[in-house]
Amino acid sequence: MARKGSLRRRIVLLLTLAMVAGGVYTAVAFVQRSEVLITERCTAAGAGSAELATDQAANAGLITAVAVRRGLPARAASIALATAMQESKIRNIGHGDQAGPDSRGLFQQRPSQGWGTTEQVMDPYHASNAFYDALVKVPGYEGLDITVAAQRVQRSAYPDAYAQHEVMARAFASSLAGHTPAGLDCSLRAPETAGDPAAVEDKLSAAFGGVAATTEGSTLVLDAEGEMAWAMAHWAVASAKGLSITEVQTEGRAWMREDRNGWQPSGVPAGQVRITVAGSDE
């Protein structure tokens, strides 16, 4: 009888272990499926509300940051974003369309029309600056309808097409320029690779110019406040997918990638923007 009891206990133990393992596997599989089912997107709520894909939002962040760096109003960024959406869907495409066979980049600028070399118009920083160089030469552009101002720069065969993107352009420009605190949010899956604070600093400096920054482990700490703080923070959220950013904090608020609950209260000190990237063990 003792041998039968011992065998019975071993069977019960094996069944219990199998159930536990099965439960762990099911939980892991559920988490994995949940990650796959997440629709990655970025939303902005400024002057209206709108949604972009994550790669579009990252490019919108760059375009707007260049305007901020140049000291241009958010209206300039709105015009640029509406133009880029119409011309390229805010994607840095390497082929032409109706604008011309040699048109390239975010704004479909043509080397044959003096916008720069093919390599230059494919550089988002050059392309954005070239657009603003032309825009600021338009008299009174700040007071023009977005579609009118865009047309003065682009001279498109479809002059009224830019108007359909005004709501999106205003919403993202307002948030990305820092005028709408906590106005931009991105829903993202967990990062697949570790991030690098130095890479974040390089990209941010290229967009905004040199900024005072220090590194604390996996966190980049920037000295900024007010609209500039929010401009940098929203840029970081818009760039989070490509740079494996997991958390952004500023002005008493925090965006946490894994929570997907938007901006929440935070104890971050005033005058700081803190950008944290994924570690190698995440």
Side-chain angles (χ1 to χ4, degrees):
M1 292 296 293
R3 292 179 61 186
K4 289 183 179 179
S6 178
L7 178 60
R8 185 180 297 110
R9 283 193 296 272
R10 284 198 291 270
I11 292 173
V12 171
L13 177 60
L14 289 172
L15 289 172
T16 301
L17 291 174
M19 291 174 66
V20 170
V24 171
Y25 173 80
T26 299
V28 171
F30 175 77
V31 171
Q32 290 174 337
R33 285 197 302 272
S34 297
E35 286 289 312
V36 171
L37 290 174
I38 292 171
T39 300
E40 295 191 307
R41 65 189 184 280
C42 295
T43 56
S49 61
E51 181 178 303
L52 290 176
T54 55
D55 62 324
Q56 294 173 309
N59 286 328
L62 183 153
I63 291 169
T64 306
V66 172
V68 172
R69 179 177 184 173
R70 294 175 61 126
L72 298 176
R75 183 69 169 181
S78 296
I79 297 166
L81 293 180
T83 302
M85 176 57 84
Q86 176 59 29
E87 300 293 351
S88 71
K89 302 300 183 187
I90 322 185
R91 292 188 166 106
N92 198 32
I93 55 179
H95 57 80
D97 61 4
Q98 69 268 17
D102 66 333
S103 57
R104 298 287 187 276
L106 290 170
F107 298 93
Q108 286 291 281
Q109 293 160 335
R110 301 180 64 183
S112 63
Q113 298 296 319
W115 288 100
T117 66
T118 299
E119 182 179 2
Q120 286 176 325
V121 298
M122 282 298 296
D123 175 3
Y125 300 99
H126 173 91
S128 298
N129 274 301
F131 180 87
Y132 291 127
D133 285 344
L135 179 64
V136 296
K137 294 176 183 177
V138 176
Y141 76 87
E142 301 98 324
L144 297 176
D145 288 342
I146 285 178
T147 190
V148 173
Q151 173 62 8
R152 295 279 177 87
V153 175
Q154 297 295 105
R155 301 185 184 280
S156 170
Y158 305 93
D160 299 324
Y162 305 105
Q164 63 188 308
H165 308 300
E166 288 190 14
V167 172
M168 177 281 301
R170 287 173 175 163
F172 274 88
S174 180
S175 291
L176 288 166
H179 296 332
T180 305
L184 189 141
D185 180 30
C186 291
S187 177
L188 304 172
R189 302 184 188 106
E192 297 179 356
T193 59
D196 180 3
V200 175
E201 183 177 0
D202 286 346
K203 291 284 188 181
L204 188 142
S205 295
F208 288 96
V211 295
T214 57
T215 301
E216 298 177 2
S218 59
T219 299
L220 182 69
V221 183
L222 308 167
D223 294 332
E225 59 185 358
E227 289 183 353
M228 181 58 76
W230 278 111
M232 291 180 176
H234 285 150
W235 173 91
V237 173
S239 304
K241 181 175 174 63
L243 293 173
S244 295
I245 293 169
T246 57
E247 186 173 355
V248 181
Q249 299 182 70
T250 195
E251 302 285 298
R253 305 291 290 275
W255 173 88
M256 289 174 282
R257 181 172 180 153
E258 65 179 6
D259 288 351
R260 305 186 186 95
N261 289 320
W263 292 88
Q264 301 296 317
S266 166
V268 62
Q272 281 191 4
V273 179
R274 301 178 66 87
I275 304 171
T276 303
V277 301
S280 58
D281 57 344
E282 293 185 34

